[in-house]
CSV table of all heavy atoms in Angstrom, one decimal:
chain,number,residue,atom,x,y,z
Q,90,ALA,N,-2.1,-3.7,-9.7
Q,90,ALA,CA,-1.8,-3.8,-8.3
Q,90,ALA,C,-3.1,-3.2,-7.5
Q,90,ALA,O,-3.9,-2.5,-8.1
Q,90,ALA,CB,-0.6,-3.1,-7.8
Q,91,HIS,N,-3.0,-3.3,-6.0
Q,91,HIS,CA,-4.1,-2.8,-5.3
Q,91,HIS,C,-4.2,-1.3,-5.2
Q,91,HIS,O,-5.2,-0.8,-4.9
Q,91,HIS,CB,-3.9,-3.4,-3.8
Q,91,HIS,CG,-2.7,-2.7,-3.2
Q,91,HIS,ND1,-1.4,-3.1,-3.6
Q,91,HIS,CD2,-2.6,-1.8,-2.2
Q,91,HIS,CE1,-0.6,-2.4,-2.9
Q,91,HIS,NE2,-1.1,-1.6,-2.1
Q,92,LYS,N,-3.2,-0.6,-5.7
Q,92,LYS,CA,-3.1,0.9,-5.6
Q,92,LYS,C,-4.3,1.6,-6.2
Q,92,LYS,O,-4.8,2.6,-5.7
Q,92,LYS,CB,-1.8,1.4,-6.1
Q,92,LYS,CG,-0.6,1.0,-5.3
Q,92,LYS,CD,0.4,2.1,-5.1
Q,92,LYS,CE,1.4,1.7,-4.1
Q,92,LYS,NZ,2.2,0.4,-4.4
Q,119,GLN,N,3.9,3.0,-9.5
Q,119,GLN,CA,2.7,2.3,-9.5
Q,119,GLN,C,1.5,3.2,-9.0
Q,119,GLN,O,0.4,3.1,-9.7
Q,119,GLN,CB,2.7,1.0,-8.6
Q,119,GLN,CG,3.7,-0.1,-9.1
Q,119,GLN,CD,3.4,-0.6,-10.4
Q,119,GLN,OE1,4.0,-0.2,-11.5
Q,119,GLN,NE2,2.2,-1.2,-10.5
Q,195,SER,N,-0.2,5.5,0.0
Q,195,SER,CA,-0.1,4.4,1.1
Q,195,SER,C,-0.7,4.8,2.4
Q,195,SER,O,-1.1,6.0,2.5
Q,195,SER,CB,1.3,3.8,1.2
Q,195,SER,OG,1.3,2.7,2.0
Q,235,CYS,N,2.7,-8.6,2.4
Q,235,CYS,CA,3.9,-7.7,2.4
Q,235,CYS,C,3.5,-6.3,2.9
Q,235,CYS,O,2.4,-5.9,2.8
Q,235,CYS,CB,4.6,-7.6,1.2
Q,235,CYS,SG,3.6,-6.7,-0.2
Q,236,VAL,N,4.4,-5.6,3.6
Q,236,VAL,CA,4.2,-4.3,4.1
Q,236,VAL,C,5.3,-3.3,3.7
Q,236,VAL,O,6.5,-3.5,3.9
Q,236,VAL,CB,4.0,-4.3,5.6
Q,236,VAL,CG1,5.3,-4.7,6.3
Q,236,VAL,CG2,3.5,-3.0,6.1
Q,237,GLY,N,4.9,-2.3,2.9
Q,237,GLY,CA,5.7,-1.1,2.7
Q,237,GLY,C,5.1,0.1,3.5
Q,237,GLY,O,5.5,0.1,4.8
Q,238,GLY,N,4.3,0.8,3.1
Q,238,GLY,CA,3.6,1.7,4.0
Q,238,GLY,C,2.4,1.2,4.7
Q,238,GLY,O,2.1,1.5,5.8
Q,239,GLY,N,1.9,0.1,4.2
Q,239,GLY,CA,0.9,-0.7,4.9
Q,239,GLY,C,-0.4,-0.7,4.3
Q,239,GLY,O,-1.5,-1.2,4.9
Q,240,SER,N,-0.6,-0.3,3.0
Q,240,SER,CA,-2.0,-0.2,2.5
Q,240,SER,C,-2.5,-1.5,2.2
Q,240,SER,O,-3.7,-1.8,2.5
Q,240,SER,CB,-2.1,0.9,1.4
Q,240,SER,OG,-1.5,0.3,0.1
Q,241,ASN,N,-1.8,-2.4,1.5
Q,241,ASN,CA,-2.4,-3.7,1.1
Q,241,ASN,C,-2.5,-4.6,2.3
Q,241,ASN,O,-3.5,-5.3,2.5
Q,241,ASN,CB,-1.7,-4.3,-0.1
Q,241,ASN,CG,-0.5,-5.2,0.3
Q,241,ASN,OD1,-0.7,-6.5,0.6
Q,241,ASN,ND2,0.7,-4.7,0.4
Q,307,GLY,N,8.5,-0.9,-4.2
Q,307,GLY,CA,7.3,-0.6,-3.3
Q,307,GLY,C,7.5,-0.8,-1.8
Q,307,GLY,O,6.6,-0.3,-1.0
Q,308,LEU,N,8.4,-1.5,-1.5
Q,308,LEU,CA,8.7,-1.8,0.0
Q,308,LEU,C,9.8,-0.9,0.6
Q,308,LEU,O,10.2,-0.9,1.7
Q,308,LEU,CB,8.9,-3.2,0.3
Q,308,LEU,CG,8.0,-4.2,-0.2
Q,308,LEU,CD1,8.4,-5.7,0.3
Q,308,LEU,CD2,6.6,-3.9,0.3
Q,352,ALA,N,4.4,-9.7,-8.2
Q,352,ALA,CA,5.3,-8.5,-8.0
Q,352,ALA,C,6.3,-8.8,-7.0
Q,352,ALA,O,6.1,-9.7,-6.1
Q,352,ALA,CB,4.4,-7.3,-7.4
Q,354,GLU,N,7.2,-7.2,-4.6
Q,354,GLU,CA,6.7,-6.8,-3.2
Q,354,GLU,C,5.9,-8.0,-2.5
Q,354,GLU,O,6.3,-8.5,-1.6
Q,354,GLU,CB,5.7,-5.6,-3.3
Q,354,GLU,CG,6.5,-4.2,-3.6
Q,354,GLU,CD,6.6,-4.1,-5.1
Q,354,GLU,OE1,6.3,-4.9,-5.9
Q,354,GLU,OE2,7.3,-3.0,-5.5
Q,355,SER,N,5.0,-8.5,-3.4
Q,355,SER,CA,4.2,-9.6,-2.9
Q,355,SER,C,5.0,-10.8,-2.6
Q,355,SER,O,4.7,-11.7,-1.8
Q,355,SER,CB,3.1,-10.1,-3.9
Q,355,SER,OG,2.7,-8.8,-4.7
Q,378,SER,N,-0.4,-8.7,-3.7
Q,378,SER,CA,-0.6,-7.3,-3.9
Q,378,SER,C,-0.6,-6.8,-5.3
Q,378,SER,O,-1.2,-5.8,-5.8
Q,378,SER,CB,0.3,-6.4,-3.0
Q,378,SER,OG,1.6,-6.8,-3.3
Q,379,GLY,N,0.2,-7.6,-6.2
Q,379,GLY,CA,0.4,-7.0,-7.6
Q,379,GLY,C,1.1,-8.0,-8.5
Q,379,GLY,O,1.6,-9.0,-8.0
Q,383,LYS,N,5.8,-5.6,-14.2
Q,383,LYS,CA,6.7,-4.3,-13.9
Q,383,LYS,C,8.1,-4.6,-13.4
Q,383,LYS,O,9.1,-3.8,-13.6
Q,383,LYS,CB,6.1,-3.4,-12.9
Q,383,LYS,CG,6.1,-4.0,-11.5
Q,383,LYS,CD,5.4,-3.1,-10.5
Q,383,LYS,CE,5.4,-3.8,-9.1
Q,383,LYS,NZ,6.7,-4.1,-8.5
B,401,PLP,C1,3.2,-0.1,-3.5
B,401,PLP,C2,3.1,-1.5,-3.5
B,401,PLP,C3,3.3,-2.3,-2.3
B,401,PLP,C4,3.6,-1.6,-1.0
B,401,PLP,O1,2.7,-0.8,-0.5
B,401,PLP,P1,1.8,-0.9,0.7
B,401,PLP,O2,1.2,0.4,0.9
B,401,PLP,O3,2.5,-1.4,1.9
B,401,PLP,O4,0.7,-1.8,0.2
B,401,PLP,C5,3.1,-3.6,-2.3
B,401,PLP,N1,2.9,-4.4,-3.4
B,401,PLP,C6,2.7,-3.7,-4.6
B,401,PLP,C7,2.5,-4.5,-5.8
B,401,PLP,C8,2.8,-2.3,-4.7
B,401,PLP,O5,2.7,-1.7,-5.9
Side-chain angles (χ1 to χ4, degrees):
H91 68 288
K92 292 219 168 62
Q119 291 305 108
S195 188
C235 66
V236 63
S240 70
N241 91 87
L308 304 186
E354 290 84 2
S355 325
S378 54
K383 69 182 178 62

